[in-house]
Amino acid sequence: MAEQFKGQPRLPKFAVPKRYDVSLKPDLAACKFAGSVAIDLDIVSDTNFIVLNAAELAVDAATVSFSHKNSSEVFKPLKAETFEEDGILVLEFGETLPTGPGVLAIGFEGILNDKMKGFYRSTYEHNGEKKNMAVTQFEPVDARRCFPCWDEPAWKATFKITLDGVPSELVALSNMPVVEEKVDGHLKTVSYQETPIMSTYLVAVVVGLFDYVEDHTSDGVKVRVYCQVGKANQGKLALNVAVKTLELYQEYFAVPYPLPKLDMVAIPDFSAGAMENYGLVTYRETALLFDEQHSAAANKQRVATVVAHELAHQWFGNLVTMEWWTHLWLNEGFATWVSYLAADSLFPEWKIWTQFLDESTEGLRLDGLEESHPIEVEINHACEVDEIFDAISYRKGASVIRMLQSYLGAEPFQRSLASYIKKHAYSNAKTEDLWAALEEGSGEPVNKLMNSWTKQQGYPVVSVKVKDQKLEFEQTQFLSSGSEGTGQWIVPITLCCGSYDVRKSFLLQTKSESLDVKEFLGCSVAETGSTCNKNNGQCGWIKLNVDRAGFYRVKYDDELAAQLRNAIEKKYLSATDRYGILDDAAALTTARKQSFVSLLTLLGAYKEELDYTVLSNLITVSYKLKRIADDAVPELVDLLNQFFIGLLQYPAEKLGWQPKPGESHLDAMLRGELLTALASFGHDLTIDEAIRRFNAFSDDRNTSLLPPDIRRAAYVAVMQRVTASNRSGYESLLRVYRETDLSQEKTRILGSLASCPDPDIILEVLNFLLTKEVRSQDAVFGLAVGSEGRETAWTWLKNNWEHISKTWGSGFLITRFVSATVSHFASLDKVKEVDEFFKAHPNTAITRTLKQSIERVKINAKWVESIQGEKNLADAVTELAYRKY
Ligand code: BES
Ligand code: ZN
């Protein structure tokens, strides 16, 4: 009978939980906990069963009881059965439970696990002694590992939490402020105010040793940042950002922050980047702490954007929650988008909306696969949820919001959002609820427009050409494989012609449409008072998807493309447009819609580029071209390296090695990326200089020769020269790794080690990742091997798969092992090999990722073949490599 509840996507609706009284007693030394929960609930239909969630908990059947509010009768279940695969606890009663309010009580025990989910332990050192802390991570479906509950976002309830048996010297935190603390000898019992109504995945507790810094918002919300003992100063940046961001969101959403306090805590072992638990946000150390002396500008930006993201959730996610995981993107896409709004307001000099393009690019990259999924994705089982915290939910989600906001305008957009928040506060919402609010607030057909973007996967490439004084537009689904998909969208087309003052926009609602250019130019001439030909002499270029605000790509005919290339060289175009042209061209080349050489030629137009975001994308594209060339035309790789080095000379010389007094945040980040790229492309002068500076750093960690912004570059440079017989650079790096207690420094080093071209060293590095010296949260950073290490990494993955899937197999980090080691291959033989291996070693946690990685290998394989078929490639590359800039 109880079997009938197995394999269901959602819990049955016999009972509705209203209030949880949870008591937990963690034992940090023995790594286990005991607990009890009393759940106020309403039985809403006659039933013999109560079905709720529980996983890896030992439920003591003798403690389970159900009693009705208005009678003294106590019901004991005949059976209390857990089905681990589904994470459910089925209580079967001997008689039908009458409808109405009652209390369900359950006692249980569990393990403080080391898997960074549920109720788990994290470790740290204090006065040279190793210690445990107890932490929770419940999203998406792991509250059930801490206490039995209705663990779905729509079952909102209030939570009254008590922590028992806590060593009295420790800090014990939960979502709400403490109401009572009773000390009994060395132990204390801490109880917290009851929370407002909220979802289970947002409940949290943290027990450990911490210092903190504190501030408050203008309306008195107390904000604290908790850090390792002795490091409270590193919390100041996040604290400052948090206070300002809370004030900003309060105004933007037109609803005050709903809780009396906000705590933010750095957790040494943490699988995601951060988690927005209501009133108790937890972070990886790298995403919360900032060291004035040793953190880089990129670290600062990371801290600020992660804080802004998690605080956005306090409204978008916590106050108004998605009804089901299908609408996860509402949480994540929206928080991602809003975090840019906050960062832009706090740090306008970061030009964060230009940097936002990297979000879109990653979204477009994943969504160009046939194995992508719609933003609103069907979820049929808890085990499917982890894998959709991906670039579709976050980045495509954020990008379609940006597209919509720029279509509707900032003011109606904000106004409608505020009314959405107000309407659904303390409740749940679906995607169409958001569209309804925006439709009402703007008078535009938002639902119809947006359904085409959230209910079907993929996106269009809009081809544009000039014919008979007309511009012709045609949309087809873009696929990186080069195939043509069948999707169609309502595309907000924007274009500029010859000047940013001459604009036009319309909705492309059909497959193709044309626009009379004469009329278009005529009308804009009237507006600008100049004639097209005299438009600062810039006339001729036409740029679609202005500022790349739309989630689509553009393919220009040859003539338009040549004019845009010219406009880039002449510096007529904005950074966002320069970025878009480059990124679209790179994607079209991968899909074999454009030749390899034509992309290289376009890259040449960026020789005087100085914008951080554009150059950073150009570098990413160059890495990819180098990788594919390693397979396709190994004999040309040296020339290509020379070409890429030539391209980066101009900005690199402008920036030099040493930070300039008062220089911008973006220049500081750019210098690091440029030098890293030059080192990776084998530029000897850069490598020599980097090693010289690294040696100085190795002797003195406070030397001014190696500021944090260029450390990664130096580490990569050092690793370029390491071989099995020349290991000293590697050993020195390991020494820095071991001696630092700054997690950002450790990550920087891990991210550089595998860039070594020597396979023996790479194997050593990969094995190092599996040792106790690398926290399991960090191992994936060390997987960034180049072409030389690809085969080594794959063999290593296969040899260690059992251990890896045991250690990382129950979270989303495992997916990174697969994508990092598999997706860069470029042959059908490898497709077969990978496929066979994972058929023999199935793992449901990687289902989507594996399909996506294999698709990438197939795409690479086809691309290699087409590059090999390109005529005159060697001549063209030679010419480009020797061109003097
Ligand atoms: N809600 C997520 C945390 C999360 C991620 C829980 C995956 C469960 C699975 C949080 O709000 C988040 O999105 N964190 C990001 C950082 C953010 C700045 C993009 C992360 O963890 O990477
Ligand atoms: Zn988030």
Side-chain angles (χ1 to χ4, degrees), residues 26-29 112 119-126 129-136 163-174 181 186 188 190 192 204-212 224-230 263-269 280 282 285:
D27 179 341
L28 298 184
L112 287 176
F119 202 10
Y120 72 94
R121 63 180 187 264
S122 172
T123 60
Y124 60 103
E125 261 187 32
H126 184 243
E129 216 182 299
K130 238 184 135 186
K131 302 221 166 206
N132 291 330
M133 63 171 85
V135 190
T136 55
L163 293 175
D164 203 9
V166 175
S168 46
E169 73 280 11
L170 298 187
V171 173
L173 303 169
S174 186
E181 193 168 302
H186 294 303
K188 61 183 174 186
V190 188
Y192 303 87
V205 304
V206 172
V207 179
L209 208 53
F210 299 98
D211 279 350
Y212 66 84
R224 285 183 179 178
V225 176
Y226 286 87
C227 316
Q228 279 176 53
V229 171
D263 291 326
M264 311 204 294
V265 197
I267 309 293
D269 301 274
L280 178 56
T282 44
E285 292 186 346

Side-chain angles (χ1 to χ4, degrees), residues 276 309-310 313 331-332 335 394:
E276 70 267 25
H309 175 111
E310 303 312 331
H313 279 312
N331 264 15
E332 298 304 349
Y394 280 77

